[in-house]
């Protein structure tokens, strides 16, 4: 009955089967633990907790059918595991009065049972409609390589297997055990323990892309390691009863990292973190061996077997135990050979020494991959002082897709016959210790085919193939874009850029524009997919971003981006021309920015240097775009990733901000920089944001200040090849600016070609932007205002220098300052971009 309700709600294809809505909700649900000693008459005390025998009727849960209670006659197991409930038919455990997020742990500890060969058990488990296990076999002898979460608090020689899930429960939890046709299943114990606090945030940073929303997904714990330390037993982990394994057996080269430990004074940054992991996890760590050697050319690598074709949440736990300042240990994090983070400085991120810190990453594992590699290694771009890495703990969680967490259920049919099945399974039991994941995959495929042909009643989620919902969830947004159909809009008489309004393209139009997605037209690749340079039929050049159909999360981002871009239209923001949502495609069409990034015109590429005037115009353009973002939309939008690679230049060198909306879960617009988003941001990051973990518009102002220094100095914001005090441009430039001698380090090509007064003012603006505290920094509107002034100073200087008129430049300046002061009375309070613009046109 509960299931039917759940299925009825499955039509959206959204994973929300976990939550069961019952019309008769008691409202008295509360956080309670349920510890069930299955197949037992009596309760036992294990771990200091009381496990209730399920043969005795009780108020706390019901069992739908008796099954067979079995007791291990050899009696050498843990008292909890000496009994089991065996089932040849379906069996339901129903727990009521359960509200919130729970750990659901299933304990399996096979022992010889009369009439049943435990090696041949085969069954599925479904919790509130979410499939946890499909055609699952518990091998008679559990090898420690087979599955990770054993419970070794048993004295018996046969280890138990514990499968752990994290589920959101609304009032009632029904755990269904369903034996596969002709087979049976068993369960030794069940543990339902409330999750204290909030373990997971909705948004998780995707490796090489923008955030993924993981809200509402069912979770299975795959691995949980106390890196560099001892095993942590469930009773050592506060009230959550998690087990933390030793990590060394997962390391590729065990001696790549040495263990360190310091248990004094390790604390949580906030009380909220106390349920994330016990302090014991943070008190030990693994760092790279041989720390005396400056040149470190290896990674610490861990390798895990995972189920293909699922999304994973990887949680890394860190705590700096040694250094008491930042910049001592800076490294890169790789997940499956992709850079998940670089310039990773635990001290800076956690806000100090001995402070617990964790970082989550989201990565989708494709159908062909069955391993997950986590690697930490030197960040060679940072220089000699920061090449050591550190890791304290590691967790890997599998996320449900389409109401399913079970691996076997997702494998497509192949031609294996049923007779192979049993031998494969037996083989799995025998050789589990060495069985490669490939074999597991084949076996599961067989199981799947076998069972699919014989049994249909179980599958309840296959009708919703992982795919994309039709796009009309944001119907209003889309139709508002589509209705505009390229029509011109004029706002306050502003310029032509406003006429570009989104329209809906057909797929054939997109194919024509991109030569059928010809790879030679690819101008960038990112987490979201590829970006092509294309020409739409009226001859307009466009950047066409085609999302990778593999990514399930892509839809939300696609919708967000359209929604964002439809709200934000501005001459200094890269604009959306249209989109295509035909045939499950998610394609966005942007205006093409012919001159690429601002950075590429500052240094490191063959382009001719920009003049001071061009640089000032680019800065004012970008400042306008940011000012609009901060004040223009319904609510202020923080860009979060202001840097010279996110400032694009069109054919007339008009600067436009790209990649905005990162803060709103929008995918990166400028894909080529997505993968390096963290890196690019490093030299630009607001230190106050680090300290307070609180993001404001003033963080963008800080980053923009760094951009200003980069523009005037023409060098990367981080250049590790320079002497130590020069590596970080923000520090280096501020040092000179404070002495009022920034001109010493400016781009030599500007000397003599720029108004000295304007350079001076420009330095002052940048300095103000880099104020330590956000409240001492100017707003973007003020920055914009001052930049306008600087531009006017320079233009006046150019006119006097070029025409050698009789008035002295200081007279010209006085005139100008007067005019500027007048204009200041009319400073923009609204968003109309054109209220702020140069007042003199020659
Ligand atoms: C349960 O208790 C009864 C007697 O109270 C006993 O006969 C029976 O064998 C017990 N069953 C199990 C499975 O322990
Ligand atoms: C039900 O659970 C409560 C605690 O959650 C426990 O005190 C009580 O003894 C349990 N009832 C039975 C019949 O086991
Ligand atoms: C278990 O519960 C599900 C729905 O909650 C129901 O469809 C099924 O028939 C139940 N099975 C048994 C054996 O009671
Ligand atoms: C299950 O397989 C293991 C490994 O081969 C074997 O040692 C054990 O005896 C088997 N158990 C049963 C009940 O057949
Ligand atoms: C394991 O055995 C030891 C003594 O051999 C005993 O003290 C301990 O309680 C046992 N642990 C469990 C979980 O049964
Ligand atoms: C994540 O998605 C859920 C619905 O699936 C939504 O309620 C929630 O607001 C989203 N969170 C964020 C931060 O976008
Ligand atoms: C452990 O940390 C404390 C406080 O940070 C420090 O004083 C002590 O020297 C450290 N011990 C070791 C062995 O590093
Ligand atoms: C540990 O923390 C306390 C309080 O924060 C501090 O007074 C003490 O000096 C610290 N000890 C060490 C060794 O750092
Ligand atoms: C801690 O959690 C509470 C409520 O869950 C929240 O209001 C508060 O902002 C959190 N504090 C921190 C530092 O995250
Ligand atoms: C990552 O690199 C290692 C070693 O180079 C390789 O064995 C492994 O297959 C790669 N993993 C992925 C997911 O590409
Ligand atoms: C570390 O691992 C990453 C990802 O597999 C790889 O690209 C990089 O070359 C490795 N670094 C070293 C020093 O081996």
């Amino acid at each position: 009955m509960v299931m039917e309700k759940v299925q009825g709600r499955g039509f959206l294809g959204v994973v929300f089967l976990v939550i069961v809505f019952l019309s008769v909700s008691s409202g008295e649900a509360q956080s309670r633990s349920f510890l069930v000693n299955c197949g037992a008459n009596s309760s036992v005390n294990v771990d200091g907790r009381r496990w209730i025998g399920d043969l005795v009727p009780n108020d706390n849960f019901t069992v739908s059918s008796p099954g067979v209670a079995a007791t291990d006659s050899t009696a050498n197991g843990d008292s909890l595991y000496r009994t089991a409930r065996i089932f040849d038919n379906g069996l339901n455990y129903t727990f009521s009065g359960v509200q919130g997020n729970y750990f659901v742990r299933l304990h399996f500890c096979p022992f010889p049972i009369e009439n049943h060969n435990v090696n041949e058990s085969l069954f599925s488990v479904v919790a509130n409609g979410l499939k946890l296990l499909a055609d699952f076999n518990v091998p008679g002898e559990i090898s420690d390589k087979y599955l990770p979460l054993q419970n070794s608090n048993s004295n018996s020689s046969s280890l138990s297997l514990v499968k752990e899930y994290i589920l959101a429960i609304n009032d009632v939890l029904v755990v269904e055990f369903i034996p596969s046709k002709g087979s049976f299943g068993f369960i030794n114990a069940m543990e339902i323990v409330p999750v204290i606090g909030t373990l997971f945030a909705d948004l998780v940073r995707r490796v090489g892309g923008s955030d993924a929303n993981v809200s509402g997904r069912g979770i299975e714990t795959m691995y949980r390691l106390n890196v560099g330390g001892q095993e942590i037993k469930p009773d050592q982990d506060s009230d959550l009863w998690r087990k933390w394994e030793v990590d060394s057996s997962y390391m590729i080269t065990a001696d790549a990292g040495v263990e360190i430990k310091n248990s004094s004074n390790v604390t949580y940054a906030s009380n909220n973190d106390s349920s994330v992991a016990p302090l014991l996890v943070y008190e030990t760590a693994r760092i790279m061996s041989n720390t005396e050697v400056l040149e470190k050319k290896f990674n610490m690598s861990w390798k895990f077997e995972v189920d293909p074709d699922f999304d994973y949440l990887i949680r890394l736990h860190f705590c700096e135990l040694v250094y008491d300042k930042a910049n001592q240990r800076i490294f890169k994090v790789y997940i499956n050979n992709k850079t998940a983070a670089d310039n990773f400085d635990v001290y800076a991120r956690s806000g100090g020494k001995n402070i617990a810190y964790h970082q989550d990453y989201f990565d989708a594992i494709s159908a062909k991959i069955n391993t997950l590699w986590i690697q930490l290694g030197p960040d060679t771009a940072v220089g000699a002082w920061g090449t050591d890495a550190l890791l304290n703990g590691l967790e890997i969680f599998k996320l449900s897709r389409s109401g399913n967490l079970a691996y076997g259920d997702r494998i497509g049919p192949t031609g294996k016959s049923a007779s192979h099945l049993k031998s494969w399974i037996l083989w799995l039991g025998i050789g589990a210790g060495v069985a490669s994941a490939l074999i597991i995959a084949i076996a599961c495929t067989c199981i799947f085919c076998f069972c699919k042909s014989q049994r249909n009643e179980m599958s309840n989620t296959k009708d919703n193939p992982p795919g994309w919902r039709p796009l009309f969830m944001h119907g209003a947004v889309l139709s508002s874009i589509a209705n505009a159909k390229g029509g011109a809009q004029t706002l306050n008489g502003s310029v032509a850029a406003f006429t570009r309004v989104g329209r809906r393209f057909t797929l054939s139009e997109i194919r024509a524009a991109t030569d059928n997605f010809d790879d030679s037209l690819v101008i960038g690749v990112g987490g979201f997919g590829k970006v092509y340079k294309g020409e739409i039929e009226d001859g307009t050049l466009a950047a066409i971003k085609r999302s990778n159909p593999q990514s399930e999360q892509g839809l939300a981002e696609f919708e967000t981006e359209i929604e964002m871009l439809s709200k934000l239209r501005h001459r200094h923001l890269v604009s959306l021309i249209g989109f295509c949502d035909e045939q499950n495609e998610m394609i966005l069409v942007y205006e093409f920015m012919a001159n690429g990034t601002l950075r590429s015109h500052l240094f490191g590429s063959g382009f001719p240097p920009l003049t001071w005037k061009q640089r000032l115009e680019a800065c004012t353009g970008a400042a306008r775009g940011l000012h609009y973002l901060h004040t223009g939309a319904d609510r202020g939008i923080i860009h979060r990733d202001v840097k010279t690679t996110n400032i694009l230049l069109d054919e007339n060198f008009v600067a436009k901000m790209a990649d905005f909306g990162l803060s709103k879960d929008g995918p990166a617009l400028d894909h080529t920089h997505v993968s390096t988003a963290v890196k690019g941001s490093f030299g630009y990051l607001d230190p106050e944001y680090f300290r307070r973990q609180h993001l404001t518009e003033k963080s963008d102002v800080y980053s923009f200040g760094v951009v200003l220094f980069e523009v005037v100095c023409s060098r990367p914001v981080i250049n590790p090849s320079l002497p130590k005090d020069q590596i970080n441009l923000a520090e280096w430039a501020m040092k000179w600016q404070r002495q009022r001698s920034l001109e010493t380090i400016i781009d030599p090509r500007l000397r003599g070609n720029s108004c000295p007064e304007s350079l001076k003012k420009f330095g002052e603006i940048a300095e103000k932007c880099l104020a330590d505290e956000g409240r001492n920094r100017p707003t973007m509107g003020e920055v914009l205002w001052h930049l306008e002034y600087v531009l006017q100073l320079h233009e006046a200087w150019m006119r006097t220098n070029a025409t050698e008129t009789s008035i002295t430049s200081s007279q010209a300046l006085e005139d100008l300052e007067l005019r500027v002061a007048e204009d200041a009375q009319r400073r923009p309070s609204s968003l109309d971009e054109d209220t702020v613009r140069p007042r003199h046109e020659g």
Side-chain angles (χ1 to χ4, degrees):
M1 181 192 68
V2 174
M3 277 263 296
E4 277 160 27
K5 292 203 177 214
V6 169
Q7 280 171 342
R9 288 174 180 269
F11 69 95
L12 277 181
V14 181
V15 184
F16 71 62
L17 298 161
V18 186
I19 301 160
V20 177
F21 297 91
L22 277 194
S23 40
V24 280
S25 170
S26 68
E28 295 196 3
Q30 38 174 296
S31 291
R32 308 193 279 160
S33 294
F34 299 87
L35 306 173
V36 184
N37 184 13
C38 300
N41 261 346
S42 56
S43 302
V44 293
N45 283 319
V46 174
D47 280 347
R49 290 184 294 173
R50 190 174 157 80
W51 298 67
I52 300 170
D54 69 350
L55 293 183
V56 189
N58 73 80
D59 306 336
N60 292 326
F61 58 87
T62 58
V63 193
S64 66
S65 65
V68 182
T71 307
D72 185 359
S73 48
T74 61
N76 61 0
D78 190 309
S79 51
L80 182 58
Y81 296 144
R82 242 174 258 156
T83 57
R85 206 183 261 264
I86 318 277
F87 44 91
D88 296 311
N89 299 306
L91 186 67
N92 285 359
Y93 280 84
T94 305
F95 304 84
S96 41
V98 195
Q99 184 75 52
N101 294 319
Y102 278 78
F103 287 107
V104 173
R105 300 194 180 104
L106 309 176
H107 296 243
F108 302 100
C109 180
F111 53 77
I113 307 160
E114 214 182 324
N115 301 331
H116 291 92
N117 182 347
V118 287
N119 286 347
E120 291 180 9
S121 67
L122 199 61
F123 57 98
S124 302
V125 181
V126 177
N128 282 1
L130 175 71
K131 189 168 286 187
L132 306 182
L133 291 170
D135 298 316
F136 179 67
N137 165 252
V138 184
E141 204 168 68
I142 296 166
S143 144
D144 58 313
K145 274 281 166 55
Y146 181 64
L147 280 163
L149 284 175
Q150 306 131 17
N151 195 341
S152 64
N153 58 15
S154 135
N155 283 345
S156 87
S157 53
S158 76
L159 296 169
S160 63
L161 169 68
V162 180
K163 301 286 278 173
E164 180 185 282
Y165 303 90
I166 301 168
L167 308 176
I169 301 169
N170 190 350
D171 200 42
V172 172
L173 170 67
V174 179
V175 183
E176 293 176 69
F177 291 88
I178 306 156
S180 305
K181 190 99 177 170
S183 191
F184 73 100
F186 68 95
I187 175 83
N188 297 76
M190 278 167 74
E191 187 185 346
I192 290 145
V193 176
V195 173
I196 297 161
T198 310
L199 269 195
F200 301 102
D202 277 4
L203 297 183
V204 179
R205 177 167 273 272
R206 182 195 297 270
V207 175
S210 52
D211 295 349
N213 185 342
V214 300
S215 150
R217 299 239 215 160
I219 296 172
E220 175 180 350
T221 308
M222 301 294 281
Y223 298 92
R224 178 176 285 137
L225 308 182
N226 178 22
V227 176
Q230 303 289 306
E231 176 183 301
I232 299 175
K233 300 222 164 81
D235 56 355
Q236 292 172 290
D237 186 6
S238 59
D239 293 325
L240 300 179
W241 305 93
R242 290 168 297 200
K243 179 173 176 248
W244 299 74
E245 277 188 283
V246 173
D247 70 306
S248 50
S249 60
Y250 297 100
M251 291 196 79
I252 306 280
T253 317
D255 57 5
V258 293
E259 298 174 4
I260 61 165
K261 178 175 167 61
N262 190 339
S263 41
S264 49
N265 274 11
V266 173
T267 55
Y268 296 111
S270 91
N271 277 339
N272 291 12
D273 289 344
S274 59
S275 57
V276 169
L279 285 178
L280 279 174
V281 170
Y282 297 106
E283 288 171 358
T284 61
R286 201 175 279 285
I287 58 172
M288 291 171 75
S289 308
N290 202 2
T291 46
E292 274 71 51
V293 181
L294 271 185
E295 195 80 35
K296 289 202 208 67
K297 289 212 167 107
F298 59 87
N299 289 324
M300 287 196 285
S301 309
W302 292 263
K303 183 184 162 191
F304 303 91
E305 285 181 9
V306 294
D307 298 336
D309 209 13
F310 274 101
D311 298 327
Y312 289 87
L313 190 154
I314 296 115
R315 170 164 290 181
L316 305 177
H317 298 269
F318 301 98
C319 179
E320 176 56 66
L321 298 172
V322 177
Y323 296 113
D324 50 14
K325 55 181 196 279
N327 286 346
Q328 302 307 301
R329 199 196 299 272
I330 296 183
F331 53 91
K332 284 196 184 196
V333 177
Y334 307 92
I335 294 177
N336 264 350
N337 303 350
K338 294 172 289 191
T339 304
D342 50 15
N343 291 297
F344 203 100
D345 183 342
V346 173
Y347 185 98
R349 283 167 175 251
S350 69
K353 185 184 175 183
N354 290 338
I355 298 177
Y357 173 79
H358 67 274
Q359 175 71 54
D360 293 344
Y361 295 99
F362 174 99
D363 198 25
I365 301 285
S366 72
K368 293 192 190 79
I369 294 179
N370 53 30
T371 51
L372 185 60
W373 290 61
I374 313 280
Q375 291 172 292
L376 268 61
D379 191 341
T380 45
V382 179
W385 35 268
T387 55
D388 198 5
L390 165 104
L391 185 65
N392 300 59
L394 169 64
E395 288 172 282
I396 298 175
F397 301 100
K398 181 166 80 173
L399 303 174
S400 67
R401 277 191 180 173
S402 313
N404 183 43
L405 264 174
Y407 172 47
D409 199 40
R410 292 176 55 89
I411 308 299
T414 67
K416 292 280 176 194
S417 75
S419 63
H420 282 115
L421 172 68
K422 289 209 169 153
S423 60
W424 272 118
I425 294 213
L426 193 62
W427 204 93
L428 202 65
I430 295 165
V434 289
S436 71
L438 176 67
I439 290 163
I440 295 174
I442 294 169
C444 294
T445 309
C446 301
I447 296 169
F448 177 75
C449 308
F450 168 61
C451 301
K452 194 178 178 183
S453 61
Q454 308 206 13
R455 176 182 47 83
N456 292 319
E457 73 271 23
M458 254 181 58
S459 46
N460 52 40
T461 55
K462 275 183 229 143
D463 305 340
N464 296 314
W468 301 337
R469 283 167 284 162
L471 245 181
F472 301 99
M473 310 210 61
H474 286 299
V477 170
L478 292 186
S479 56
S480 73
I481 297 172
N483 288 344
K485 274 266 176 193
Q489 250 184 23
T490 46
L491 289 175
N492 295 337
S494 68
V495 286
F498 274 108
T499 59
R500 285 186 176 147
V501 181
R503 58 174 265 213
R504 175 178 262 133
F505 288 87
T506 64
L507 190 54
S508 53
E509 282 173 315
I510 300 283
R511 286 192 192 280
T514 58
D515 256 350
N516 200 13
F517 300 111
D518 193 302
D519 271 347
S520 67
L521 294 174
V522 170
I523 51 176
V525 183
F528 191 87
K530 288 182 179 168
V531 179
Y532 301 82
K533 178 179 176 179
E535 193 177 320
I536 50 184
E537 79 275 17
D538 63 357
T540 315
L541 284 176
I544 297 175
K545 181 158 84 174
R546 183 195 199 189
S547 90
N548 179 354
Q550 308 302 320
S551 101
E552 192 178 87
Q553 291 290 308
L555 178 66
E557 287 161 9
F558 183 60
E559 288 170 347
T560 311
E561 179 140 0
I562 292 185
E563 195 181 304
M564 281 304 266
L565 286 167
S566 67
K567 277 194 295 218
L568 302 172
R569 222 162 291 125
H570 189 274
R571 180 147 63 106
H572 294 286
L573 300 181
V574 170
S575 63
L576 184 72
I577 298 176
F579 62 93
C580 168
D581 59 345
E582 238 174 67
Q583 293 178 22
N584 276 356
E585 290 280 357
M586 298 191 295
I587 295 168
L588 294 172
V589 182
Y590 301 97
E591 69 178 306
F592 182 73
M593 299 294 285
N595 275 311
T597 67
L598 172 58
R599 180 185 158 115
S600 66
H601 293 272
L602 292 175
F603 51 87
S605 64
F607 294 128
L610 296 178
T611 65
W612 183 229
K613 180 163 183 267
Q614 281 173 315
R615 296 183 201 205
L616 287 174
E617 281 168 347
C619 291
T620 42
R624 274 206 192 116
L626 280 173
H627 174 57
Y628 172 78
L629 274 184
H630 287 179
T631 55
D634 318 343
R635 53 192 187 285
I637 292 168
I638 303 170
H639 186 289
R640 272 174 78 171
D641 203 11
V642 176
K643 53 184 176 180
T644 46
T645 46
N646 279 339
I647 299 171
L648 302 183
L649 301 173
D650 75 3
E651 66 279 11
N652 300 318
F653 287 92
V654 172
K656 306 191 181 198
M657 292 303 304
D659 239 357
F660 44 89
L662 195 64
S663 56
K664 301 288 182 225
D665 199 22
L669 179 56
D670 191 2
H671 39 78
T672 41
H673 309 297
V674 168
S675 56
T676 59
V678 180
K679 175 182 187 166
S681 314
F682 179 66
Y684 298 94
L685 259 173
D686 173 10
E688 191 184 45
Y689 173 46
F690 268 148
R691 284 197 302 271
R692 296 180 48 211
Q693 306 285 308
H694 183 57
L695 194 67
T696 69
E697 280 96 350
K698 294 297 180 68
S699 299
D700 281 353
V701 174
Y702 181 94
S703 309
F704 191 75
V706 181
V707 165
L708 295 182
F709 278 131
E710 191 180 343
V711 163
V712 73
C713 297
S714 289
R715 53 150 281 186
V717 294
I718 299 287
N719 185 348
S721 63
L722 293 172
K724 189 166 169 177
D725 57 338
Q726 304 185 21
I727 290 175
N728 185 331
L729 172 62
E731 282 171 21
W732 177 238
M734 279 297 273
K735 184 178 150 197
W736 291 98
Q737 174 58 31
R738 286 199 196 95
Q739 302 165 9
R740 297 287 171 264
S741 45
L742 184 66
E743 63 278 5
T744 325
I745 60 162
I746 66 165
D747 186 347
R749 296 171 298 192
L750 293 177
R751 294 206 180 103
N753 296 319
S754 54
C755 159
E757 189 68 17
S758 73
L759 280 171
K760 179 165 162 276
K761 263 263 172 275
F762 188 86
E764 287 166 15
I765 299 170
E767 182 185 3
K768 289 207 175 76
C769 292
L770 295 196
D772 266 346
E773 290 182 49
R775 61 193 161 88
N776 296 333
R777 295 176 204 150
T779 64
M780 236 23 250
E782 285 160 346
V783 173
L784 172 56
W785 181 251
H786 288 291
L787 284 175
E788 297 282 358
Y789 172 53
V790 169
L791 182 57
Q792 291 174 11
L793 285 179
H794 178 62
E795 282 173 336
W797 178 86
M798 286 205 308
R799 277 195 307 277
T800 52
N801 271 26
T803 59
E804 313 232 21
T805 55
S806 56
I807 55 164
T808 67
S809 87
S810 68
Q811 269 174 320
L813 285 182
E814 276 166 28
D815 286 358
L816 232 166
E817 287 197 51
L818 256 176
R819 258 188 297 160
V820 166
E822 281 163 17
D823 285 353
Q825 315 295 328
R826 302 157 50 197
R827 268 166 64 162
S829 55
S830 82
L831 277 189
D832 178 5
E833 58 156 354
D834 288 315
T835 51
V836 185
R837 72 178 164 206
R839 294 289 154 181
H840 65 94
E841 309 292 348

